[in-house]
């Protein structure tokens, strides 16, 4: 009797890697822009937008033709983390800069990462962390 073998997961070619990274970076920047605007609009961290970042990353990686497997899941998990970091950094620095009378770009260039992280820890609610954890799980599950 012949045994059916499952095909091994295809390794992405160099062009596919580049396209996957560009798609992920584009998604991160787009979602981070939306997330930053939402944060500035209502004064909260809006952790639920991590779900949007996860779904966006998975969709863009599939559209880019990145083969399924652990590498796609890793990129899909990294995207919501990166989008959250960028959005928190931008919204924190713009808020602090506005209170000091700085223009947004001046405050972004002067803000330190440690100070932005401290502000994120102060302002984060438990559901923000829960949504981020849920988004990472969804990205890993759908990404593979």
């Amino acid at each position: 009797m012949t045994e059916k073998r499952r095909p091994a997961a295809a390794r992405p070619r160099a062009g596919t890697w580049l396209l996957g990274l560009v798609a992920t970076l584009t998604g991160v920047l787009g979602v981070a822009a939306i997330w930053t605007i939402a944060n500035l609009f209502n004064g909260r961290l809006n952790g639920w937008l991590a779900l949007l970042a996860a779904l966006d990353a998975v969709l863009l990686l599939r559209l880019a033709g990145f083969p399924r497997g652990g590498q796609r899941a890793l990129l899909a998990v990294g995207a919501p983390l990166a989008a959250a970091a960028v959005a928190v950094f931008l919204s924190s620095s713009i808020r602090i800069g506005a209170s000091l009378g700085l223009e947004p770009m001046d405050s972004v260039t002067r803000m330190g990462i440690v100070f932005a992280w401290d502000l994120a820890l102060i302002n984060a609610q438990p559901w923000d962390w829960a949504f981020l954890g849920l988004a990472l799980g969804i990205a890993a599950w759908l990404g593979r």
Side-chain angles (χ1 to χ4, degrees):
M1 231 187 217
T2 61
E3 184 178 318
K4 283 190 172 184
R5 292 186 181 194
R6 290 179 69 187
R11 290 189 57 204
R13 297 187 320 255
T16 307
W17 260 106
L18 181 62
L19 189 58
L21 287 174
V22 168
T24 304
L25 182 62
T26 303
V28 164
L29 293 177
V31 171
I34 294 169
W35 204 337
T36 302
I37 291 169
N39 288 351
L40 293 174
F41 181 71
N42 67 2
R44 298 184 184 145
L45 287 184
N46 300 304
W48 60 271
L49 282 167
L51 298 172
L52 175 68
L55 295 175
D56 182 54
V58 168
L59 179 65
L60 287 176
L61 285 169
R62 284 187 181 179
L63 289 175
F66 204 84
R68 61 179 58 181
Q71 294 170 344
R72 185 168 82 180
L74 185 64
L75 280 175
V77 167
L81 287 174
V86 169
V88 166
F89 179 78
L90 289 176
S91 58
S92 298
S93 62
I94 290 172
R95 276 193 205 129
I96 293 296
S99 66
L100 297 174
L102 296 174
E103 294 293 320
M105 285 309 295
D106 289 337
S107 62
V108 167
T109 57
R110 293 178 184 199
M111 178 72 136
I113 294 173
V114 174
F115 188 50
W117 176 250
D118 287 342
L119 288 174
L121 290 178
I122 290 169
N123 293 326
Q125 300 296 323
W127 54 80
D128 293 324
W129 294 108
F131 276 125
L132 184 61
L134 181 64
L136 297 180
I138 289 173
W141 180 55
L142 293 177
R144 59 175 180 84

